[in-house]
Amino acid sequence: ATRGMFVTMVGGIYDPSTGRLRIANAGHEPPLLQDADGNFQDFPADAPPLGISPLVVPESGYPVEDIEMNGGAFYLFTDGLTEGYVEGDTELGVDGVLSLLKESRAAPVSERLATVIGAIENTDTTVLRDDLTMLGVDDADALQERREHEEDEESQPALDVVLATLSVPAVPDRLKLLRSVVGDSARLAGVVDAAVHDLVLAVDEACQNVIRYAYKNRSDGLMELVIAHCDDRLVFELADDADTVDPDTVKPRDLDDVRPGGLGTHLIQEIMDSVEFLPRTAEGGNILRMTKKIG
């Protein structure tokens, strides 16, 4: 708000589930990406600082840079760091930052930042000309999690022939339509009539559980059911966008505990040959896979 004042800035979004980073640089010191092999790439600003003048900002806004982290580390810092003195009148400079990051690459990211900041002299005989601010984002652990997730997905059986995909609101009165689709799909896959009723009952009970316990009877929830015929199996995948549940907490109640309700999990497991929760994306939600052998 003061005449002649301005501020440099880097704004960005990092998604650890994909390893993608998107930034916009407004006249700030070029951020650095150190890849998994230790090589550096910088990202100079293509637009002026904020507050200089609205006349020099591109009509389309500030340019956006999309970066694939691929297990690398991303660093942001102020010019107070590069202009800080390491000994006497010697400034650390960008080369000094690169050298320190290379030397400490094997350390946790917090220790790397402390190493760089700690190189600046701050004694009674030296004066800091500006603030020392540094931010680091490391994608190495997230990359490992993504690879493990991909391996888990590859180990899951593929849906050979999708018979039906149905998305319905998570409210009880819409389950009539879903039950009809489950029954018709089971007959199409060759399930004998005597077993169709049981399959419809199991899938319906799973949907009721989503409505009651995942969405807690909210009327704005959605459920998606995919039914597929895989060799000698019929596969049902029921997905929702409710808060992700811990599969270890979804356990059948003891049958000796005699009271109304609460036996749906027993029913599903008794009818289906396998019941399991699949991993979801970073956005959350749940996927329940139920499998039944045909014949």
Side-chain angles (χ1 to χ4, degrees):
T2 304
R3 183 178 180 86
M5 297 297 290
F6 63 89
V7 63
T8 67
M9 177 181 176
V10 174
I13 299 173
Y14 164 63
D15 184 354
S17 70
T18 62
R20 295 190 183 97
L21 176 66
R22 168 169 287 192
I23 64 168
N25 190 341
H28 196 73
E29 287 279 302
L32 297 172
L33 175 68
Q34 185 179 25
D35 64 24
D37 296 324
N39 303 310
F40 284 96
Q41 178 182 358
D42 64 355
F43 299 90
D46 291 325
L50 303 173
I52 291 288
S53 168
L55 299 179
V56 298
V57 178
E59 291 184 3
S60 59
Y62 281 81
V64 172
E65 188 89 39
D66 288 310
I67 303 168
E68 296 288 343
M69 295 279 283
N70 291 323
F74 185 79
Y75 299 101
L76 282 169
F77 45 86
T78 60
D79 56 7
L81 179 67
T82 53
E83 294 174 358
Y85 296 119
V86 287
E87 54 182 47
D89 294 332
T90 303
E91 293 184 353
L92 176 62
V94 175
D95 289 340
V97 174
L98 296 177
S99 178
L100 291 169
L101 289 175
K102 287 179 180 178
E103 293 173 4
S104 60
R105 204 183 93 187
V109 66
S110 58
E111 293 182 17
R112 286 175 244 161
L113 301 185
T115 296
V116 177
I117 294 292
I120 302 297
E121 288 190 351
N122 185 16
T123 66
D124 294 338
T125 59
T126 59
V127 178
L128 294 178
R129 289 190 281 177
D130 209 339
D131 67 283
L132 303 179
T133 305
M134 189 173 186
L135 171 73
V137 179
D138 195 316
D139 186 56
D141 289 343
L143 175 63
Q144 181 62 31
E145 290 183 7
R146 293 195 298 273
R147 287 174 174 171
E148 292 174 356
H149 180 68
E150 290 173 358
E151 291 174 358
D152 289 340
E153 287 187 333
E154 290 174 358
S155 66
Q156 300 294 341
L159 300 182
D160 294 346
V161 179
V162 175
L163 302 177
T165 300
L166 181 66
S167 181
V168 298
V171 292
D173 64 3
R174 300 302 177 90
L175 296 185
K176 181 178 180 181
L177 173 61
L178 189 142
R179 289 192 292 268
S180 176
V181 172
V182 171
D184 290 343
S185 298
R187 294 185 187 92
L188 183 64
V191 177
V192 296
D193 288 340
V196 170
H197 173 75
D198 289 344
L199 288 176
V200 172
L201 193 61
V203 176
D204 179 78
E205 187 63 38
C207 293
Q208 295 281 6
N209 287 343
V210 171
I211 293 172
R212 294 184 195 130
Y213 304 117
Y215 283 119
K216 297 179 174 58
N217 293 310
R218 283 170 28 209
S219 59
D220 60 341
L222 286 175
M223 299 184 296
E224 182 177 82
L225 178 67
V226 177
I227 307 172
H229 188 184
C230 303
D231 296 327
D232 62 342
R233 294 169 293 111
L234 201 57
V235 179
F236 304 87
E237 287 191 359
L238 180 63
D240 63 67
D241 292 319
D243 292 338
T244 302
V245 301
D246 181 358
D248 292 335
T249 65
V250 184
K251 297 179 179 179
R253 176 163 57 82
D254 191 339
L255 291 176
D256 293 332
D257 184 4
V258 181
R259 51 190 166 93
L263 297 178
T265 305
H266 276 293
L267 177 68
I268 296 169
Q269 292 183 347
E270 184 68 22
I271 294 173
M272 296 294 183
D273 292 304
S274 68
V275 180
E276 59 180 334
F277 280 95
L278 303 184
R280 290 235 52 174
T281 63
E283 286 76 16
N286 306 279
I287 301 178
L288 179 67
R289 170 179 278 172
M290 300 168 284
T291 303
K292 181 67 175 179
K293 290 184 179 179
I294 301 173

